[in-house]
Structures are given as C-alpha cells and as structure tokens.
Amino acid sequence: MRVICAGHVNWDVTLHVDHLPKPDGEGRITDRSQSSGGSASNAAVALAGLDADPLVLGSVGRDDHGTMAQRELAATGVETLLIESDEATAVKYLIVDENGDVAVLGNDGANEAFNASDLPAETLAEADHLHLTGQNPTTAATLARDAAAADVPVSFDPGRRLPYRDYSSVLSHAEILFCNDREADHARDSGLFETVPTVVVKHGDCGATAHIGDQTVTNAGYPIESVDTAGAGDAFAAGYLLASAQETDPERALAVANACGALAAQSSGARTTLDWESVWELVDSGQPPETT
C-alpha cells in the first residue's frame, strides 16, 4: 500500500525525567536520546515496519539535523521528498516523566517550507492514500483537494494545533479524521464532525472510538505500562489506515490501531518501528509484552 505522509519532519531530543518540575522547580534527567521525528515522519516509519510503501513529503534545513533525519528515514525503508530550506531543521525537545506523559518544547524552523506543488501530480495519482498531519492549512487544503480530484483517499491527523488553525477546508476533502479527546471536543463544538465520514478518537490507554457515519465502534485497548507516549498516536494512525483497508470488521481495525499505539508507548522516543508479528500477538492475546 503506497501511502504519502505529508507534514513535519523534525529532529527529536527525548529527555526522560523523574518528574515534570513546577515553575522554579528542578527535575532530574534520567535518560537522553535523539532521533528523527515529526508526525509525518513517525507515521511513515510505522507504516514501513508494517510492510507498507510510505513516502514522506516535508522540509528540513541544510544542516546536520536535516541530513541525519533523511538518513534515518532512508534506513527504515521510507522514501522521502524533503525540500531543503534556509531555515534550520526544527528541533523538538520531548520531556517524558516516569508515567510516560510527554511535554514538548520546540520551534517550527524549516517545518513548513514545503508547498503542495512540491509533490508531483503523477506521484500523488499513483498513491493509494494521502495521510496529512499538522502543517500549514493552505498547503494541507491544496494537497487534500488534489488528492480528492485524483480519487486518492485522504486522512488527517492535525494534532495539538487543531484548535488554533483553520483546517475546515482540509476536512471537507478528508475521509478520516484522527484526534484525541481534547481535539475531538473542539471538532465537535466547531461542527467538524459532520464534515468527515469517519472520525477516530484516541483515548490514550483507554482505547479508541470510531464514528463511522451513523455507526459507533469502540475498542478498549490494552493494559500497558507506558514508557513514552510520544509518537503513539502516529503509530495508531498507521495501524488503522492499513487495517481498515484490509479488514471488513471496523472493531478489528481499531484493535490493530490500539495495538500499534500500545507498542509505540512501550518504547522510548517518538519514532517507532513496528512489525506485524508483534501487532497480531497483542491483538490475539489481548496482553502486551513485558517491557525490559
């Protein structure tokens, strides 16, 4: 399945801390790691691990962080179409506490230097799916419109910025909207639920709900002990896209998506490499593997 993932490509620095300090407080760093990140990048890496054929459309700076991000994506089997910008590659600092909860610090940098016109029309037309993540609303809307005109299904996972940016034009062309509970409240209050055929709401460790037309489907998820929830939503989206394309049972597709998110939450960092053996083991047993 050829999936184009469009959006941010970052360089992530993950800091595990004993607690998130209050103002004027101090926390102790217990571990530090770094890797490529960004929702488009994270989803593409998860898709590659699940034997899909992903392409990332995004932008990076002409710097070491941009070079390393491109190399890491290539090493995981992800094809890239990354526009180089005079701005620096965006660096995000992910601060993870002992419960796996994440706070993010960062700047946009080169994240939104790419345009819809940077994706060749023939490349889009040959895709099986376009997955949009948080990005410039105009760019996202143009990509969604072009995909719809080419009969390429569109999904959208806007992330934390949904309440602050006008994505209504994007959603008018999308078939699937991914959001968490807070984002879902905003989408519901703004009338965005009614514009998208399928809305998938992620409830973290409490599973997920899919609103598919007049049908509501739920899956309780898996009793996991989170190590790091960064990137879990992107892995969830990757699993749902592939499973919903293959499964006739929507609850089964949600189960696969929740398994992907759970596996991602059991590893450090936002970039997660998945495999079907681990996913099906979790789906069929209902129990997560022990963390080491």
Side-chain angles (χ1 to χ4, degrees):
M1 182 173 176
R2 177 65 156 174
V3 183
I4 298 174
C5 300
H8 293 176
V9 177
N10 307 326
W11 187 255
D12 286 352
V13 179
T14 301
L15 303 174
H16 284 264
V17 298
D18 58 353
H19 69 281
L20 296 176
K22 296 180 179 179
D24 203 31
E26 182 176 338
R28 182 172 64 88
I29 298 173
T30 59
D31 191 29
R32 182 183 188 278
S33 60
Q34 53 185 333
S35 68
S36 61
S39 288
S41 173
N42 298 337
V45 170
L47 286 164
L50 297 175
D51 303 325
D53 180 20
L55 166 69
V56 170
L57 171 66
S59 45
V60 294
R62 297 183 179 93
D63 50 32
D64 289 344
H65 289 144
T67 299
M68 289 188 293
Q70 293 185 68
R71 287 176 178 170
E72 285 202 359
L73 286 169
T76 59
V78 176
E79 184 181 349
T80 59
L81 179 51
L82 301 181
I83 305 305
E84 291 191 345
S85 168
D86 291 333
E87 297 287 336
T89 301
V91 178
K92 304 288 183 178
Y93 293 87
L94 312 178
I95 306 171
V96 185
D97 69 9
E98 291 184 330
N99 297 319
D101 294 326
V102 181
V104 180
L105 301 173
N107 64 324
D108 289 336
N111 258 338
E112 298 185 354
F114 72 98
N115 296 305
S117 59
D118 293 316
L119 180 64
E122 59 272 20
T123 301
L124 177 58
E126 292 170 355
D128 297 303
H129 194 93
L130 172 66
H131 180 58
L132 300 172
T133 62
Q135 58 192 278
N136 180 288
T138 300
T139 301
T142 303
L143 286 168
R145 182 199 66 202
D146 292 347
D151 292 325
V152 176
V154 177
S155 57
F156 186 33
D157 191 346
R160 298 178 180 90
R161 297 188 182 186
L162 178 60
Y164 311 110
R165 307 180 92 170
D166 183 4
Y167 285 121
S168 56
S169 295
V170 183
L171 294 173
S172 66
H173 298 293
E175 296 189 8
I176 304 172
L177 169 65
F178 294 101
C179 51
N180 62 23
D181 288 313
R182 179 180 63 84
E183 295 153 4
D185 288 340
H186 171 79
R188 190 178 291 107
D189 294 342
S190 303
L192 298 176
F193 263 38
E194 289 74 22
T195 66
V196 185
T198 297
V199 179
V200 183
V201 184
K202 300 169 283 187
H203 306 309
D205 58 5
C206 295
T209 302
H211 303 276
I212 307 169
D214 295 330
Q215 181 185 18
T216 298
V217 181
T218 62
N219 179 270
Y222 306 93
I224 66 165
E225 185 173 330
S226 295
V227 173
D228 182 349
T229 58
D234 301 318
F236 175 101
Y240 186 85
L241 292 178
L242 295 181
S244 61
Q246 300 168 3
E247 294 280 349
T248 57
D249 179 0
E251 197 280 334
R252 181 79 167 172
L254 267 188
V256 170
N258 276 323
C260 292
L263 291 168
Q266 288 194 302
S267 62
S268 179
R271 192 192 68 181
T272 302
T273 302
L274 300 174
D275 64 86
W276 280 119
E277 181 178 358
S278 298
V279 171
W280 290 126
E281 179 182 357
L282 181 51
V283 170
D284 293 334
S285 70
Q287 295 295 323
E290 294 183 1
T291 57
T292 57

